[in-house]
Amino acid sequence: ANLAAAILVETHRMQAQPAPTSTHNGHPVRYPSLRIGAGGDLDTETTGQAWALAVTWAHYNLPDLRIWLYTRSYGLEDQPDPAEPLARLTGQHSGSNLAVYLSTDRSMIDRTIRALRIPAYRGLPVAILARTTAEALAILDRLPTDNPRAIVCPVDDGRLGLTVSRRGTTHYQGACQKCRACLPSGQTQPHIIFLQR
């Protein structure tokens, strides 16, 4: 938990207070953010609990930091779900700084259906990997969700590049910072469609 909190602190500092030698010096990020598991998924329930403790700490100490993750670490047979401690947080904090997406595809539909019926995961948005938008919407139609909003990731459909010029500056920002659809906003997050390449 201390390591996870240190990652959150440093991530926030680097974005909100760029160092003098940073290419972004004088142009702090407007919405500091961190994607948990950008290099992989949650491996154990202990990892999920550590991140949940750190995210709770950040909720009170770094209130402008937005944290999100896409995870397949749910609905696992005969073992605790690493994502559950984080999923529970999404319903506990008003104006939450955390968004948890249940990742799914054609091979995981049944597991996602079962998970969305569990209180910890009920109401969470889904990140769908599919060959086409139509296939993704067909998967979404099978899931027990009341959320009608779904968008295609603007990088996947070509609306945004991986980096985007920051208007009025010579600096660039990541596509997620520009789009912000996946970042928690205190409102219901849309389902996200990722197109296979």
PDB file of all heavy atoms in Angstrom, residues 21 26 35 60 77 87-88 103 114 120 133 138 143 155 157-158 160 162 175 188-189 197:
ATOM      1  N   THR A  21      13.336  20.956 -15.708  1.00  0.00           N
ATOM      2  CA  THR A  21      13.921  20.336 -16.905  1.00  0.00           C
ATOM      3  C   THR A  21      12.897  19.559 -17.737  1.00  0.00           C
ATOM      4  O   THR A  21      13.229  19.053 -18.801  1.00  0.00           O
ATOM      5  CB  THR A  21      15.071  19.399 -16.506  1.00  0.00           C
ATOM      6  OG1 THR A  21      14.570  18.423 -15.582  1.00  0.00           O
ATOM      7  CG2 THR A  21      16.213  20.179 -15.872  1.00  0.00           C
ATOM      8  N   GLY A  26       6.002  24.626 -16.812  1.00  0.00           N
ATOM      9  CA  GLY A  26       5.115  25.766 -17.039  1.00  0.00           C
ATOM     10  C   GLY A  26       3.773  25.384 -17.618  1.00  0.00           C
ATOM     11  O   GLY A  26       2.907  26.233 -17.803  1.00  0.00           O
ATOM     12  N   ARG A  35      -3.381   5.296 -14.730  1.00  0.00           N
ATOM     13  CA  ARG A  35      -4.048   4.035 -15.038  1.00  0.00           C
ATOM     14  C   ARG A  35      -3.324   2.923 -14.294  1.00  0.00           C
ATOM     15  O   ARG A  35      -2.147   2.661 -14.554  1.00  0.00           O
ATOM     16  CB  ARG A  35      -4.038   3.767 -16.540  1.00  0.00           C
ATOM     17  CG  ARG A  35      -4.631   2.420 -16.868  1.00  0.00           C
ATOM     18  CD  ARG A  35      -4.590   2.134 -18.344  1.00  0.00           C
ATOM     19  NE  ARG A  35      -4.776   0.724 -18.559  1.00  0.00           N
ATOM     20  CZ  ARG A  35      -4.524   0.101 -19.699  1.00  0.00           C
ATOM     21  NH1 ARG A  35      -4.073   0.776 -20.739  1.00  0.00           N
ATOM     22  NH2 ARG A  35      -4.714  -1.186 -19.806  1.00  0.00           N
ATOM     23  N   TYR A  60      -8.576  11.506  -0.302  1.00  0.00           N
ATOM     24  CA  TYR A  60      -8.551  12.592   0.675  1.00  0.00           C
ATOM     25  C   TYR A  60      -7.347  13.518   0.524  1.00  0.00           C
ATOM     26  O   TYR A  60      -7.433  14.696   0.862  1.00  0.00           O
ATOM     27  CB  TYR A  60      -8.570  12.011   2.097  1.00  0.00           C
ATOM     28  CG  TYR A  60      -9.833  11.234   2.359  1.00  0.00           C
ATOM     29  CD1 TYR A  60      -9.809   9.844   2.402  1.00  0.00           C
ATOM     30  CD2 TYR A  60     -11.060  11.882   2.521  1.00  0.00           C
ATOM     31  CE1 TYR A  60     -10.972   9.124   2.627  1.00  0.00           C
ATOM     32  CE2 TYR A  60     -12.219  11.171   2.746  1.00  0.00           C
ATOM     33  CZ  TYR A  60     -12.173   9.786   2.790  1.00  0.00           C
ATOM     34  OH  TYR A  60     -13.322   9.083   2.990  1.00  0.00           O
ATOM     35  N   GLU A  77     -12.383 -18.537 -10.807  1.00  0.00           N
ATOM     36  CA  GLU A  77     -12.866 -19.746 -10.145  1.00  0.00           C
ATOM     37  C   GLU A  77     -11.952 -20.149  -8.993  1.00  0.00           C
ATOM     38  O   GLU A  77     -10.736 -20.178  -9.139  1.00  0.00           O
ATOM     39  CB  GLU A  77     -12.963 -20.886 -11.153  1.00  0.00           C
ATOM     40  CG  GLU A  77     -14.045 -20.658 -12.192  1.00  0.00           C
ATOM     41  CD  GLU A  77     -14.185 -21.842 -13.128  1.00  0.00           C
ATOM     42  OE1 GLU A  77     -13.807 -22.964 -12.732  1.00  0.00           O
ATOM     43  OE2 GLU A  77     -14.655 -21.630 -14.254  1.00  0.00           O
ATOM     44  N   ALA A  87     -13.195  -2.430  -6.774  1.00  0.00           N
ATOM     45  CA  ALA A  87     -14.577  -2.275  -7.237  1.00  0.00           C
ATOM     46  C   ALA A  87     -15.478  -1.772  -6.114  1.00  0.00           C
ATOM     47  O   ALA A  87     -16.348  -0.928  -6.327  1.00  0.00           O
ATOM     48  CB  ALA A  87     -15.094  -3.604  -7.786  1.00  0.00           C
ATOM     49  N   ARG A  88     -15.259  -2.270  -4.906  1.00  0.00           N
ATOM     50  CA  ARG A  88     -16.071  -1.827  -3.766  1.00  0.00           C
ATOM     51  C   ARG A  88     -15.913  -0.329  -3.495  1.00  0.00           C
ATOM     52  O   ARG A  88     -16.836   0.325  -3.038  1.00  0.00           O
ATOM     53  CB  ARG A  88     -15.723  -2.626  -2.518  1.00  0.00           C
ATOM     54  CG  ARG A  88     -16.205  -4.050  -2.569  1.00  0.00           C
ATOM     55  CD  ARG A  88     -15.961  -4.750  -1.227  1.00  0.00           C
ATOM     56  NE  ARG A  88     -16.257  -6.162  -1.304  1.00  0.00           N
ATOM     57  CZ  ARG A  88     -17.468  -6.674  -1.349  1.00  0.00           C
ATOM     58  NH1 ARG A  88     -18.519  -5.897  -1.314  1.00  0.00           N
ATOM     59  NH2 ARG A  88     -17.643  -7.988  -1.418  1.00  0.00           N
ATOM     60  N   SER A 103     -13.125  -5.732 -17.986  1.00  0.00           N
ATOM     61  CA  SER A 103     -12.774  -6.021 -19.377  1.00  0.00           C
ATOM     62  C   SER A 103     -13.428  -7.328 -19.801  1.00  0.00           C
ATOM     63  O   SER A 103     -13.494  -8.281 -19.029  1.00  0.00           O
ATOM     64  CB  SER A 103     -11.258  -6.138 -19.538  1.00  0.00           C
ATOM     65  OG  SER A 103     -10.637  -4.909 -19.294  1.00  0.00           O
ATOM     66  N   ARG A 114     -21.930 -13.086 -14.901  1.00  0.00           N
ATOM     67  CA  ARG A 114     -21.956 -13.506 -13.496  1.00  0.00           C
ATOM     68  C   ARG A 114     -21.426 -12.398 -12.581  1.00  0.00           C
ATOM     69  O   ARG A 114     -21.983 -12.110 -11.528  1.00  0.00           O
ATOM     70  CB  ARG A 114     -21.135 -14.792 -13.300  1.00  0.00           C
ATOM     71  CG  ARG A 114     -21.821 -16.051 -13.807  1.00  0.00           C
ATOM     72  CD  ARG A 114     -21.108 -17.313 -13.364  1.00  0.00           C
ATOM     73  NE  ARG A 114     -19.710 -17.358 -13.761  1.00  0.00           N
ATOM     74  CZ  ARG A 114     -19.263 -17.828 -14.937  1.00  0.00           C
ATOM     75  NH1 ARG A 114     -20.131 -18.296 -15.820  1.00  0.00           N
ATOM     76  NH2 ARG A 114     -17.982 -17.841 -15.214  1.00  0.00           N
ATOM     77  N   ALA A 120     -20.545  -6.212  -5.568  1.00  0.00           N
ATOM     78  CA  ALA A 120     -19.319  -5.408  -5.722  1.00  0.00           C
ATOM     79  C   ALA A 120     -19.139  -4.897  -7.145  1.00  0.00           C
ATOM     80  O   ALA A 120     -18.580  -3.817  -7.359  1.00  0.00           O
ATOM     81  CB  ALA A 120     -18.098  -6.230  -5.316  1.00  0.00           C
ATOM     82  N   THR A 133     -17.467  -2.540 -34.039  1.00  0.00           N
ATOM     83  CA  THR A 133     -18.376  -1.869 -33.106  1.00  0.00           C
ATOM     84  C   THR A 133     -19.669  -2.668 -32.969  1.00  0.00           C
ATOM     85  O   THR A 133     -20.197  -2.822 -31.858  1.00  0.00           O
ATOM     86  CB  THR A 133     -18.682  -0.437 -33.593  1.00  0.00           C
ATOM     87  OG1 THR A 133     -17.448   0.279 -33.705  1.00  0.00           O
ATOM     88  CG2 THR A 133     -19.607   0.289 -32.641  1.00  0.00           C
ATOM     89  N   ALA A 138     -23.262  -5.979 -29.639  1.00  0.00           N
ATOM     90  CA  ALA A 138     -23.979  -7.239 -29.446  1.00  0.00           C
ATOM     91  C   ALA A 138     -23.567  -7.880 -28.120  1.00  0.00           C
ATOM     92  O   ALA A 138     -24.409  -8.438 -27.399  1.00  0.00           O
ATOM     93  CB  ALA A 138     -23.710  -8.185 -30.617  1.00  0.00           C
ATOM     94  N   LEU A 143     -25.200  -8.257 -21.667  1.00  0.00           N
ATOM     95  CA  LEU A 143     -24.760  -8.028 -20.292  1.00  0.00           C
ATOM     96  C   LEU A 143     -25.860  -7.374 -19.458  1.00  0.00           C
ATOM     97  O   LEU A 143     -26.592  -6.528 -19.959  1.00  0.00           O
ATOM     98  CB  LEU A 143     -23.508  -7.141 -20.277  1.00  0.00           C
ATOM     99  CG  LEU A 143     -22.305  -7.679 -21.051  1.00  0.00           C
ATOM    100  CD1 LEU A 143     -21.151  -6.695 -20.976  1.00  0.00           C
ATOM    101  CD2 LEU A 143     -21.885  -9.047 -20.546  1.00  0.00           C
ATOM    102  N   VAL A 155      -8.909   6.599 -30.044  1.00  0.00           N
ATOM    103  CA  VAL A 155      -7.629   6.199 -30.644  1.00  0.00           C
ATOM    104  C   VAL A 155      -7.872   5.024 -31.584  1.00  0.00           C
ATOM    105  O   VAL A 155      -7.333   4.970 -32.687  1.00  0.00           O
ATOM    106  CB  VAL A 155      -6.592   5.835 -29.558  1.00  0.00           C
ATOM    107  CG1 VAL A 155      -5.341   5.214 -30.173  1.00  0.00           C
ATOM    108  CG2 VAL A 155      -6.233   7.066 -28.740  1.00  0.00           C
ATOM    109  N   ASP A 157     -10.567   4.211 -33.261  1.00  0.00           N
ATOM    110  CA  ASP A 157     -11.282   4.504 -34.521  1.00  0.00           C
ATOM    111  C   ASP A 157     -10.643   5.659 -35.296  1.00  0.00           C
ATOM    112  O   ASP A 157     -11.198   6.127 -36.283  1.00  0.00           O
ATOM    113  CB  ASP A 157     -12.772   4.741 -34.276  1.00  0.00           C
ATOM    114  CG  ASP A 157     -13.084   6.039 -33.554  1.00  0.00           C
ATOM    115  OD1 ASP A 157     -12.163   6.834 -33.286  1.00  0.00           O
ATOM    116  OD2 ASP A 157     -14.273   6.265 -33.260  1.00  0.00           O
ATOM    117  N   GLY A 158      -9.473   6.124 -34.847  1.00  0.00           N
ATOM    118  CA  GLY A 158      -8.723   7.115 -35.608  1.00  0.00           C
ATOM    119  C   GLY A 158      -9.074   8.571 -35.342  1.00  0.00           C
ATOM    120  O   GLY A 158      -8.505   9.465 -35.969  1.00  0.00           O
ATOM    121  N   LEU A 160      -8.379  10.230 -32.624  1.00  0.00           N
ATOM    122  CA  LEU A 160      -7.252  10.809 -31.897  1.00  0.00           C
ATOM    123  C   LEU A 160      -6.012   9.957 -32.115  1.00  0.00           C
ATOM    124  O   LEU A 160      -6.104   8.735 -32.207  1.00  0.00           O
ATOM    125  CB  LEU A 160      -7.533  10.853 -30.389  1.00  0.00           C
ATOM    126  CG  LEU A 160      -8.522  11.869 -29.838  1.00  0.00           C
ATOM    127  CD1 LEU A 160      -8.654  11.707 -28.325  1.00  0.00           C
ATOM    128  CD2 LEU A 160      -8.111  13.287 -30.169  1.00  0.00           C
ATOM    129  N   LEU A 162      -2.162   8.828 -30.486  1.00  0.00           N
ATOM    130  CA  LEU A 162      -1.753   8.498 -29.123  1.00  0.00           C
ATOM    131  C   LEU A 162      -1.360   9.748 -28.336  1.00  0.00           C
ATOM    132  O   LEU A 162      -1.509   9.807 -27.132  1.00  0.00           O
ATOM    133  CB  LEU A 162      -0.595   7.507 -29.129  1.00  0.00           C
ATOM    134  CG  LEU A 162      -0.963   6.075 -29.501  1.00  0.00           C
ATOM    135  CD1 LEU A 162       0.283   5.205 -29.571  1.00  0.00           C
ATOM    136  CD2 LEU A 162      -1.957   5.502 -28.514  1.00  0.00           C
ATOM    137  N   ALA A 175      -3.621  10.837 -25.398  1.00  0.00           N
ATOM    138  CA  ALA A 175      -5.006  10.798 -25.865  1.00  0.00           C
ATOM    139  C   ALA A 175      -5.992  10.642 -24.713  1.00  0.00           C
ATOM    140  O   ALA A 175      -7.086  11.221 -24.736  1.00  0.00           O
ATOM    141  CB  ALA A 175      -5.188   9.666 -26.878  1.00  0.00           C
ATOM    142  N   THR A 188     -21.816   8.451 -14.009  1.00  0.00           N
ATOM    143  CA  THR A 188     -21.725   7.096 -14.545  1.00  0.00           C
ATOM    144  C   THR A 188     -20.798   7.089 -15.751  1.00  0.00           C
ATOM    145  O   THR A 188     -20.985   7.869 -16.691  1.00  0.00           O
ATOM    146  CB  THR A 188     -23.119   6.577 -14.950  1.00  0.00           C
ATOM    147  OG1 THR A 188     -23.964   6.616 -13.799  1.00  0.00           O
ATOM    148  CG2 THR A 188     -23.038   5.161 -15.481  1.00  0.00           C
ATOM    149  N   GLN A 189     -19.788   6.224 -15.710  1.00  0.00           N
ATOM    150  CA  GLN A 189     -18.837   6.123 -16.810  1.00  0.00           C
ATOM    151  C   GLN A 189     -19.479   5.384 -17.980  1.00  0.00           C
ATOM    152  O   GLN A 189     -20.230   4.432 -17.773  1.00  0.00           O
ATOM    153  CB  GLN A 189     -17.595   5.360 -16.367  1.00  0.00           C
ATOM    154  CG  GLN A 189     -16.864   5.954 -15.198  1.00  0.00           C
ATOM    155  CD  GLN A 189     -16.411   7.369 -15.429  1.00  0.00           C
ATOM    156  OE1 GLN A 189     -16.737   8.242 -14.654  1.00  0.00           O
ATOM    157  NE2 GLN A 189     -15.695   7.626 -16.488  1.00  0.00           N
ATOM    158  N   ARG A 197      -6.983  -4.734 -33.452  1.00  0.00           N
ATOM    159  CA  ARG A 197      -6.211  -4.250 -34.623  1.00  0.00           C
ATOM    160  C   ARG A 197      -5.462  -5.396 -35.253  1.00  0.00           C
ATOM    161  O   ARG A 197      -5.130  -6.344 -34.660  1.00  0.00           O
ATOM    162  CB  ARG A 197      -5.221  -3.202 -34.172  1.00  0.00           C
ATOM    163  CG  ARG A 197      -5.888  -2.011 -33.553  1.00  0.00           C
ATOM    164  CD  ARG A 197      -4.872  -1.032 -33.096  1.00  0.00           C
ATOM    165  NE  ARG A 197      -5.470  -0.095 -32.166  1.00  0.00           N
ATOM    166  CZ  ARG A 197      -4.904   0.993 -31.777  1.00  0.00           C
ATOM    167  NH1 ARG A 197      -3.723   1.302 -32.235  1.00  0.00           N
ATOM    168  NH2 ARG A 197      -5.472   1.798 -30.931  1.00  0.00           N
TER     169      ARG A 197
END
